[in-house]
Amino acid sequence: MRRLLLPFLVAAVAFATVAALPAAPRPAAAAPDRGHEVTYDRYSLKVDGERVFLWSGEFHYFRLPSQQLWRDVLEKIRAAGFTGVSLYFNWAYHSPAPGQYDFSGVRDVDRLLDLTEELGLYTVVRPGPYINAEASGGGFPAWLKQVPGRARSSAPGYTEAYHEWLDHINPIIARHQVTRGGSVIAYNVENEYAANTDAAYMQDLQDTARAAGIDVPITHNQCCDASWTPTWASGLGAVQIPGVDDYPQSFECQTPEVWGPWGEGVTERLSENAPVYGAEYQAGAIDLHRAGYEKCRELTGPAFMKYFYKSNLIASGATMHGFYMAFGGTNWGWLGQPNDVYTSYDYGAAITETRQLTEKYDEFKRQGYFVRAVAPLTRTDPADAPASANPALGTLARSNPDTRTQFVLVRHADRASTTTEDTSLDWSTPDGEYQVPVRVSGRDAKILVAGYDLGGQRLVWSSSEIMTHERIAGRDVALLYGRSGEPGATVLRYPSRPSVRVLSGSVRTSWRDGDLRLDYTHAGLARVAVSGGGRPPMLLLLGTDQTAAEFWRTDTDAGPVLVRGTELVRSARVGGSTLSLRADTAAPGEVEVFAPRSVRRLTVGGESVRVRPTTSGSLAGRLHGPAPVRLPKLSGWRYRPEAPESRPDFDDSRWTVADRTTSVSPFPPTTLPVLFAGDYGFDYGQVWYRGHFTATGTETTVDLNAITGRDGVYQVWFNGRYLGSARGGVQADSEPPVNQNPGPGSFRLPALAPGERGVISVLVENLGHNDDWTADDNRFKQPRGLVGASLPGSTATVRWRLQGAHRERADPVRGPLNTGGLYGERHGWHLPEAGGSWAAPRPPGPGVSWYRTDFRLDLPRDQDVPLGLRFDGTGPYRVQIYLNGWQVGRHTADLGPQREFVLPAGLLRERGANTLALAVTALDEAAWSPPRLVVQANHWTGRR
Ligand code: GAL
C-alpha cells in the first residue's frame, strides 16, 4: 500500500491549470529566512507552484579537493544550461574512525551548498549512506567493515553506524533546503537499492531524514529499470519520487561505436503521482578496460546524447534528470574503488578532469537551453505523432494539455541505422495541417516544436530545433539551429503581413494566409529581423550546431543577456549603461552581446572592450586571448631511500601485534593469527608486516596470500634480502566457485639452520575497498592486506606485527584517504616541511624510494592555466604523487593507462612555492626519468 503523502504534497497533486514558466532556479542570495514551497505532481516538481524542469549534472566535490575550483566547475555547469546539480556525499571522506567526522576545508559541504545556492542551481542531495560511485567502499568508511551486522540492512550494528553519519550530514543538508531559502530541492535515499533489500531500513532512512527536518521530496535511484524490484514506488520504504538509473551505452569504452547495447534508455514511470525521474542518466563511462577516457567521451558523445536524451525526453516525458557525470574529477589519495577505476575519474564527461569544455558540453548546452526555455515541456502527455512519409524515419510525440504545444521526436526507426533520410511529416499542428519536410542524417534525433507561443511570437512549426529565446530590449531574440548543410523551414503566424529583413545568410521568405514561412539551409548563422504584423519585433537567429553553441545566455537584474563568442560566460551584470561579463577566452576573437536597451558599454573580466552597434541590434567588439605561459623545469631532485622495515635489525617493537584469532570479516582467515589490516585499524594505503620466527631448518618457502584490489602488488623480503613480488588478489569468494587462495605468492627462502632467527618483511598495497553494490557483506567486508601466511614444512611459529596509517591518526587537514603506511608517509616525507637528509637522486630499486623537489610558479592572475604532471617513462614501478603533501595521484608505470596527473589549483600555489614528493615503489631495478610540468589549457579568465 502506498504511504500517505505529507499534506502539502497531497495538495500539490492537483496540477496547475496553466503551464507556468519553469521557475528559474531561485535567485542568488535569497534571504535564508525566505523559504519556498516545494511540491510535485505526476508531471514535474514545483517551487511555489511554478513548474521546474530539473536538468541536473552530477558533481562529486570529493573528487575536486579545491574550494576555488568547485566554483569554477559549478559555474561551467550552470553556463551549460543545467538548472541543477546532483551531489553524492561520501561518508568515508568525512569519517576516519567511528565517532570522528570532519566537514572542514575541502570537506566543507556547508560551503558547497552555499555555492550552489549563490549560483542558483537546484541541488539533489544524495547522502547514501551507500553511494557506490566507484568510490572506495562505495562511500562506506573502511571502519564499517569491522562493525557487525550486514551493511545496507536494519542490523543493529550498521544502524547505529549510519545514524551517526546521518546525524552529521542531515542537519547540514536541512538548512540548505529550498524550503528554507536554499538550493536543495530533493533528497535521494540509498543508491540503486535493488538486491538483498530491507524495507525497514529504507523506511528508517526516510524517517531519520524527516526527523532531521528534511521536508523536500525524497527520491531514490532504481538500478537499471523497473524489472529490478523493489522499485520503492509503493509499500514500506517507498519514496515520494522513485527514479531510475539508465546507462544504455554500457561501459565498453574500447568500442566507442557501440550503440545502446543496454537497451532503449527510456526512463520508466514508476509512480502515477510523481514525475518521471531519470535519476542517473548516462553522461560518460567508467574506463573499465583502460581504453582511456577520450574513448569513453566518444562512446557517450553528441550522437549518443542527441539520440538517447531526446528519445528519453519524448518517450518518457521526464522532467527530472540527473546526468552522471557532468564533471568526473580525480580519485585522489585512496578515494577510488580498487577494481574499476584508476586515479582519473574524468569519466569521458562533458567537462574534462582538467575542467575543459568539450563538444559534449556544447550538446548539453543546446539541449539544456531548450528544456529551460520552452516552458510547456514541463507538463506533457503522450500524443499522436505525425506520420512520416519515409518509414525509415520514425516519430513520437507529446503535447502540453494546456497550451497544446506539440513536441515531435524524429529519428531513425532502426536506431542503429546511419543512413541519411528525408521525409515529410503529415502534421496536424494546433494551427492547422502541414506537410513538414525533415532530414535526419545518421545517428541523430530532433525534437521539433509546433503550436508554441515563443515570447510574443506564434511558432506554427519549425524543422529547426529551438535552442533558446529571450525578450531582450523589447524584442524576441530566438535562436534555432540544425545540422550544417541540412535544409530547414520555420513557419510563424501573424495577424497581418510583417516586414522581414534578412540581415545575413540566405533565407527565402514567403507569406500565405497569415503564415510567414522561412526556408533555408543551415549554414553559419543567418539573421532575420521581423517587425510589424501585429506582434513585437523579433530577431530570428538560425544557426548550425556549431554556431548555436557559440551563444551563452545569462541573467542580470536588468533582464537576460545573450552573448555570442568567448569560451565561457560565467555571469553578467548590468550597471547603468555598462554590461560587465565574467567570461573566458582561449584565443583572440569576436564577442557580440544582445543586452537590455540601457547597455552601451561592455567590460569583460573588468577590462573595457570597445564595441560598435550592429545591424542586428547588438554590440560587437574584440577580445584578447591569454598570454602564453612558461613553466619552470623541474630540477634539483633530491632522493631518499626507505624500506628500513625490510632490514632484520629494524625496531618494530612498537608495532601492533597481530594476535587476533577471529574477525568480523565473512572471509575466514586461511591461517592464524588474523592478519587483515583493517582488523588492526589500518584502513588505507600500504601496510607493512614483519614476521619473526626461529627456524627449524625445514623451511623452504614462505607462502603468502594478500588481497589488494585489482592490479595491487605485494613485496617480500627475508632478513633484508628481496625475495620478489606477487600480484595481490581482488577478492576471496566465499560462494562458489570458492577461492580461498587469493593473491597467492610463494617465495623461496635461503637454507636455514635450526635455531636461526628469521624476519619476513612484507609490504602490501591496498588500493581501496570493495563496493557493496549488491548489499552483500561477503563482497564489501573482504579484508585487505595479508590474509594468509605459512612456512610449509616447518613447525616454526611466526610472530607477526604490522604497521600502517592508523584510522585514529588521520591527517587532520588532508583527511583519512590521503596517506597510507609507507615509512616516508609515517615520517612526513611527503609534507612540504619534511626535513631529514636527502641525497642526489639514484634510480629506484626494489622497495620504496622518495624523490622531492620544489618549484615556484608565477601564473598570471587573470589566467586559468590548469597544470599537470606528466610521466614519460614506463617500467616496473608505481609512483605516488604528493603535491604540497596532498596525494594527487598514482602513476602505475607498469600498467598505465594514465600518464598525466592534474595538479589542482588551490592545492597548487599558482603564485608561490610548491613541493612535489614522489614515493616510487619499484618491483625491480628500474630506469627512471622524473616527470615534468605541463600546461593542460590556458584561458584568459573571469574565474576570479
Ligand atoms: C550507478 C551508480 C553510480 C555509479 C554508476 C557507474 O549504478 O549508482 O554510483 O557507480 O553506476 O559509474
Side-chain angles (χ1 to χ4, degrees):
M1 230 190 67
R2 253 197 93 68
R3 280 182 322 113
L4 281 182
L5 297 166
L6 294 180
F8 73 84
L9 294 165
V10 173
V13 175
F15 37 73
T17 48
V18 284
L21 281 175
R26 206 189 35 72
D33 55 346
R34 257 205 43 225
H36 301 265
E37 192 187 33
V38 181
T39 56
Y40 65 89
D41 63 11
R42 64 177 271 110
Y43 294 109
S44 73
L45 284 167
K46 297 186 217 175
V47 172
D48 293 338
E50 283 186 26
R51 293 194 178 278
V52 169
F53 200 103
L54 182 73
W55 186 259
S56 70
E58 181 88 21
F59 169 67
H60 296 162
Y61 65 90
F62 47 88
R63 288 190 158 115
L64 186 60
S66 165
Q67 284 198 14
Q68 85 187 56
L69 297 185
W70 289 351
R71 173 182 283 279
D72 177 62
V73 170
L74 291 173
E75 283 184 347
K76 286 170 177 164
I77 288 175
R78 178 178 67 168
F82 286 105
T83 60
V85 283
S86 184
L87 306 175
Y88 273 140
F89 294 85
N90 183 335
W91 181 2
Y93 197 66
H94 298 272
S95 180
Q100 292 182 29
Y101 287 83
D102 185 350
F103 293 90
S104 64
V106 299
R107 292 171 295 280
D108 187 349
V109 293
D110 203 35
R111 174 78 196 108
L112 175 71
L113 292 171
D114 278 345
L115 254 176
T116 55
E117 209 165 299
E118 189 191 315
L119 297 178
L121 286 165
Y122 286 124
T123 307
V124 177
V125 291
R126 311 208 297 156
Y130 183 71
I131 61 170
N132 208 59
E134 290 75 66
S136 177
F140 278 153
W143 59 257
L144 188 65
K145 290 166 58 168
Q146 268 71 59
V147 173
R150 183 167 68 87
R152 306 182 76 189
S153 80
S154 40
Y158 173 66
T159 303
E160 194 185 325
Y162 79 74
H163 273 257
E164 192 183 279
W165 160 240
L166 294 180
D167 285 351
H168 284 88
I169 193 70
N170 278 343
I172 300 176
I173 290 172
R175 60 177 177 264
H176 287 281
Q177 294 175 101
V178 170
T179 50
R180 300 193 194 172
S183 66
V184 176
I185 195 164
Y187 179 103
N188 189 117
V189 284
E190 252 287 345
N191 191 81
E192 297 190 335
Y193 192 44
N196 290 321
T197 56
D198 176 339
Y201 159 59
M202 193 64 173
Q203 186 60 51
D204 183 64
L205 290 175
Q206 298 175 63
D207 296 344
T208 306
R210 293 298 187 214
I214 302 296
D215 54 11
V216 293
I218 293 186
T219 68
H220 175 256
N221 58 320
Q222 178 67 17
C223 174
C224 321
D225 59 47
S227 68
W228 292 69
T229 56
T231 59
W232 306 109
S234 60
L236 184 68
V239 297
Q240 291 171 306
I241 306 181
V244 176
D245 292 355
D246 277 309
Y247 289 82
Q249 194 70 329
S250 83
F251 300 121
E252 306 298 312
C253 302
Q254 75 285 7
T255 48
E257 66 289 350
V258 303
W259 197 243
W262 289 358
E264 293 290 318
V266 172
T267 305
E268 283 165 84
R269 173 174 285 284
L270 298 182
S271 161
E272 285 310 314
N273 305 319
V276 177
Y277 180 20
E280 282 178 30
Y281 204 96
Q282 181 163 22
I286 321 166
D287 185 17
L288 278 183
H289 304 280
R290 310 301 198 240
Y293 283 112
E294 282 315 316
K295 293 266 187 228
C296 301
R297 212 169 336 271
E298 213 179 311
L299 177 80
T300 57
F304 159 76
M305 297 168 72
K306 284 186 161 92
Y307 189 94
F308 282 86
Y309 298 177
K310 291 179 188 177
S311 297
N312 184 37
L313 264 176
I314 300 306
S316 75
T319 59
M320 293 177 68
H321 304 254
F323 289 98
Y324 194 101
M325 302 289 303
F327 167 84
T330 306
N331 289 312
W332 67 277
W334 296 105
L335 178 64
Q337 185 257 41
N339 304 323
D340 296 340
V341 289
Y342 42 95
T343 295
S344 174
Y345 195 71
D346 174 281
Y347 212 79
I351 304 173
T352 67
E353 188 190 6
T354 58
R355 299 178 287 107
Q356 304 308 298
L357 312 185
T358 63
E359 55 172 18
K360 286 183 62 175
Y361 183 91
D362 289 346
E363 183 56 32
F364 264 126
K365 194 158 77 157
R366 288 184 287 264
Q367 296 190 33
Y369 280 26
F370 166 65
V371 300
R372 194 186 165 117
V374 180
L377 208 48
T378 54
R379 181 170 183 235
T380 60
D381 292 315
D384 290 340
S388 159
N390 176 351
L393 296 181
T395 54
L396 201 64
R398 303 187 76 80
S399 75
N400 181 298
D402 308 313
T403 64
R404 299 178 55 230
T405 305
Q406 297 179 3
F407 300 93
V408 173
L409 174 76
V410 190
R411 79 297 190 227
H412 274 275
D414 167 7
R415 67 190 162 98
S417 173
T418 54
T419 59
T420 295
E421 303 284 344
D422 284 286
T423 192
S424 172
L425 304 183
D426 188 5
W427 196 342
S428 175
T429 77
D431 299 302
E433 305 289 325
Y434 290 88
Q435 292 298 315
V436 176
V438 186
R439 178 176 297 171
V440 175
S441 310
R443 289 171 170 175
D444 191 3
K446 297 177 178 176
I447 296 178
L448 308 184
V449 181
Y452 175 49
D453 288 330
L454 185 153
Q457 318 297 320
R458 178 66 177 176
L459 178 72
V460 179
W461 59 263
S462 177
S463 65
S464 300
E465 296 184 273
I466 299 174
M467 182 152 150
T468 192
H469 62 89
E470 294 295 351
R471 177 66 64 84
I472 298 174
R475 64 178 177 166
D476 291 310
V477 180
L479 175 59
L480 275 55
Y481 70 100
R483 314 305 162 251
S484 180
E486 287 190 3
T490 297
V491 174
L492 296 152
R493 179 153 298 175
Y494 290 87
S496 60
R497 187 174 187 156
S499 98
V500 182
R501 274 188 310 138
V502 177
L503 304 175
S504 67
S506 169
V507 179
R508 295 178 307 284
T509 65
S510 55
W511 170 258
R512 207 171 112 190
D513 300 337
D515 280 359
L516 173 69
R517 178 172 169 141
L518 309 174
D519 283 279
Y520 44 86
T521 297
H522 295 101
L525 183 70
R527 301 170 185 234
V528 182
V530 187
S531 59
R535 295 191 182 278
M538 176 191 210
L539 176 69
L540 185 61
L541 302 166
L542 299 165
T544 60
D545 274 19
Q546 289 70 27
T547 55
E550 288 168 10
F551 280 86
W552 303 91
R553 76 159 298 289
T554 178
D555 289 305
T556 72
D557 289 346
V561 169
L562 271 184
V563 179
R564 188 179 63 81
T566 79
E567 285 285 304
L568 167 73
V569 174
R570 296 169 184 270
S571 66
R573 203 167 47 81
V574 174
S577 60
T578 305
L579 171 68
S580 306
L581 297 182
R582 285 175 60 243
D584 292 20
T585 64
E590 204 182 326
V591 64
E592 180 179 5
V593 297
F594 299 85
R597 263 202 198 94
S598 61
V599 171
R600 297 271 171 278
R601 276 185 267 278
L602 176 68
T603 70
V604 176
E607 290 180 20
S608 164
V609 181
R610 186 181 308 175
V611 287
R612 59 188 155 77
T614 72
T615 51
S616 302
S618 56
L619 298 173
R622 275 191 75 75
L623 297 179
H624 65 77
V629 289
R630 292 201 40 204
L631 296 181
K633 248 182 98 103
L634 295 179
S635 58
W637 289 97
R638 285 153 296 145
Y639 160 85
R640 199 166 174 185
E642 65 149 74
E645 296 93 336
S646 65
R647 292 200 293 264
D649 56 349
F650 179 81
D651 179 7
D652 60 18
S653 59
R654 288 164 63 194
W655 284 22
T656 304
V657 176
D659 53 3
R660 292 178 176 249
T661 52
T662 58
S663 172
V664 167
S665 171
F667 174 70
T670 47
T671 59
L672 290 176
V674 173
L675 295 170
F676 307 162
D679 288 39
Y680 298 93
F682 304 116
D683 289 330
Y684 302 108
Q686 288 90 342
V687 182
W688 274 101
Y689 293 84
R690 283 169 60 85
H692 299 254
F693 65 94
T694 306
T696 58
T698 54
E699 295 79 9
T700 52
T701 62
V702 51
D703 286 4
L704 302 169
N705 285 109
I707 304 184
T708 55
R710 174 178 160 185
D711 297 337
V713 290
Y714 61 100
Q715 296 179 276
V716 185
W717 289 260
F718 178 72
N719 283 350
R721 209 175 96 199
Y722 185 54
L723 300 186
S725 67
R727 276 290 183 97
V730 174
Q731 57 185 11
D733 301 311
S734 54
E735 288 162 27
V738 174
N739 170 20
Q740 295 292 29
N741 188 24
S746 186
F747 300 88
R748 176 155 292 283
L749 292 171
L752 295 173
E756 198 177 333
R757 305 285 287 271
V759 186
I760 308 158
S761 300
V762 188
L763 174 62
V764 186
E765 284 185 341
N766 168 5
L767 300 186
H769 300 273
N770 288 356
D771 61 40
D772 194 18
W773 193 71
T774 47
D776 175 0
D777 272 5
N778 284 327
R779 175 191 178 107
F780 165 57
K781 288 184 177 163
Q782 292 272 330
R784 289 293 180 266
L786 284 183
V787 297
S790 60
L791 295 172
S794 170
T795 53
T797 304
V798 185
R799 284 168 293 106
W800 287 98
R801 289 173 184 267
L802 66 164
Q803 182 63 284
H806 197 277
R807 66 175 71 122
E808 297 289 346
R809 294 188 292 273
D811 183 322
V813 175
R814 301 171 184 88
L817 301 162
N818 191 60
T819 32
L822 293 178
Y823 185 88
E825 291 177 301
R826 302 197 314 267
H827 293 84
W829 296 3
H830 59 296
L831 297 173
E833 56 272 19
S837 57
W838 294 72
R842 307 227 321 247
V848 185
S849 310
W850 287 75
Y851 300 83
R852 273 176 73 96
T853 190
D854 301 315
F855 61 95
R856 282 196 76 81
L857 289 177
D858 191 15
L859 297 177
R861 247 174 224 290
D862 57 356
Q863 286 178 217
D864 183 5
V865 187
L867 297 191
L869 191 67
R870 167 102 198 162
F871 290 81
D872 294 312
T874 55
Y877 60 87
R878 286 134 189 239
V879 187
Q880 273 157 232
I881 307 159
Y882 298 88
L883 170 67
N884 298 325
W886 297 77
Q887 195 204 138
V888 292
R890 210 164 155 277
H891 171 51
T892 42
D894 53 337
L895 299 173
Q898 191 178 350
R899 300 185 152 274
E900 206 167 297
F901 295 81
V902 170
L903 305 176
L907 304 188
L908 181 75
R909 286 187 204 98
E910 294 173 287
R911 279 164 298 285
N914 293 281
T915 303
L916 262 181
L918 308 175
V920 180
T921 306
L923 306 180
D924 217 330
E925 300 296 334
W928 186 65
S929 45
R932 59 198 162 90
L933 291 176
V934 289
V935 170
Q936 295 178 314
N938 184 6
H939 289 102
W940 177 51
T941 184
R943 167 154 81 90
R944 298 182 178 85

